[in-house]
Amino acid sequence: MRFHGEISEWRDDRGFGFITPTGGGTRVFVHISALQKGRRPRAGEMVTYEVGNSGDKGPRALNVNFVNALPGRRNESPRRSFFPVVVLVLLIAAGAYGARRFVPSDIFQAINIKQQSPRAQAFACEGKIYCSEMNSCEEALFYLDSCPGVQIDGDGDGVPCEKQWCNE
């Protein structure tokens, strides 16, 4: 026989609580294992249940169902939408495509030359600050890209030592 009641107390950290029958009477113990799967109760929720005996401890609720639950559906957390992630990935891809397509290719070639130059590996930051201390345009490019505190690009155009070494 099924009874109706209200979850009058629930201890989520311990996994049990009590149901107060709708018509009044003795509170009924309920364990998390007797509840519908995928759902945690809250105090005040209406349920239906069967009564079993737990020995000398009193009545125990079995096969507990939530009254407001929709059939075939569990009260689970909503699924997260991947739409914002997809939009972000598409925007990054479009930006990368646009940069490759519309930025002059000589800028990318200059960057690749700086990165691939075998002689650039021979340089190290040795405290040089001024163009007069450089020995080549390649060394000046290395210092501008790699070393802090250099003063070799007076006009800020990314080309160092234009008067001494890197006059294009």
Side-chain angles (χ1 to χ4, degrees), residues 78-123:
R79 293 183 181 201
R80 299 192 186 273
S81 172
F82 288 104
F83 181 74
V85 175
V86 171
V87 170
L88 180 63
V89 169
L90 289 175
L91 286 173
I92 291 171
Y97 172 76
R100 280 290 190 187
R101 177 94 164 81
F102 299 108
V103 174
S105 62
D106 57 338
I107 290 175
F108 288 109
Q109 290 173 353
I111 291 170
N112 288 336
I113 289 170
K114 288 180 190 177
Q115 292 173 348
Q116 296 173 356
S117 174
R119 283 191 284 174
Q121 295 175 356
F123 300 114

Side-chain angles (χ1 to χ4, degrees), residues 68-83:
N68 297 332
L70 298 174
R73 295 204 44 180
R74 293 181 182 165
N75 189 13
E76 297 173 348
S77 61
R79 293 183 181 201
R80 299 192 186 273
S81 172
F82 288 104
F83 181 74

Side-chain angles (χ1 to χ4, degrees), residues 34-161:
L35 297 167
Q36 286 176 295
K37 300 291 184 211
R39 175 135 195 224
R40 296 270 189 182
R42 292 183 301 263
E45 287 190 284
M46 299 301 294
V47 293
T48 63
Y49 59 96
E50 296 174 10
V51 176
N53 196 355
S54 61
D56 61 343
K57 294 183 180 179
R60 178 183 184 124
L62 305 171
N63 300 320
V64 179
N65 292 317
F66 296 98
V67 172
N68 297 332
L70 298 174
R73 295 204 44 180
R74 293 181 182 165
N75 189 13
E76 297 173 348
S77 61
R79 293 183 181 201
R80 299 192 186 273
S81 172
F82 288 104
F83 181 74
V85 175
V86 171
V87 170
L88 180 63
V89 169
L90 289 175
L91 286 173
I92 291 171
Y97 172 76
R100 280 290 190 187
R101 177 94 164 81
F102 299 108
V103 174
S105 62
D106 57 338
I107 290 175
F108 288 109
Q109 290 173 353
I111 291 170
N112 288 336
I113 289 170
K114 288 180 190 177
Q115 292 173 348
Q116 296 173 356
S117 174
R119 283 191 284 174
Q121 295 175 356
F123 300 114
C125 294
E126 298 172 340
K128 297 180 182 180
I129 298 173
Y130 304 107
C131 290
S132 60
E133 299 170 313
M134 305 294 157
N135 295 315
S136 68
C137 179
E138 192 170 32
E139 183 181 23
L141 286 169
F142 170 80
Y143 266 83
L144 183 64
D145 291 340
S146 306
C147 304
V150 294
Q151 298 177 10
I152 56 177
D153 187 12
D155 58 1
D157 65 352
V159 179
C161 304

